[in-house]
Amino acid sequence: MSAQTSPTTGRKIAWPSVITVLSAAILISAEVFGAAFAGGWALAIILPPEDFFLSISQDTWAHILQAVLFAIGVFVMITFIRGAQRVEPFTRRA
């Protein structure tokens, strides 16, 4: 891949760093979101909705918990990408 230079700042995209961070993000996101899905399902079984909300079905309760854990997973992934970008900068000076 050729390095692309920005005309205004004179910076090149560091493709090895971008590919490394994106590859790690794909791997980690599969684990994080898989854990969110399984964790929401498991918590719905352990914590029945009758204890919290009387009119919610078990399936709806599982989806609510999965959505909450999914949102936490999105936060984890954003934090990971920002931290990884500090260690592996996506651009370098030309």
Side-chain angles (χ1 to χ4, degrees), residues 21-22 24-26 75-88 90:
V21 170
L22 289 179
I26 290 169
F75 173 75
V76 167
M77 289 310 303
I78 290 170
T79 304
F80 170 76
I81 296 291
R82 286 184 178 175
Q85 192 174 8
R86 279 188 227 117
V87 175
E88 294 278 339
F90 289 172

Side-chain angles (χ1 to χ4, degrees), residues 18-78:
V18 172
I19 292 171
T20 300
V21 170
L22 289 179
S23 299
I26 290 169
L27 175 66
I28 292 170
S29 66
E31 295 174 5
V32 166
F33 297 127
F37 178 75
W41 175 74
L43 286 175
I45 292 172
I46 293 172
L47 305 170
E50 294 85 23
D51 294 345
F52 302 103
F53 307 104
L54 298 175
S55 63
I56 294 179
S57 71
Q58 186 80 19
D59 288 339
T60 304
W61 179 238
H63 291 306
I64 291 170
L65 289 174
Q66 288 171 345
V68 168
L69 292 176
F70 186 86
I72 293 170
V74 169
F75 173 75
V76 167
M77 289 310 303
I78 290 170

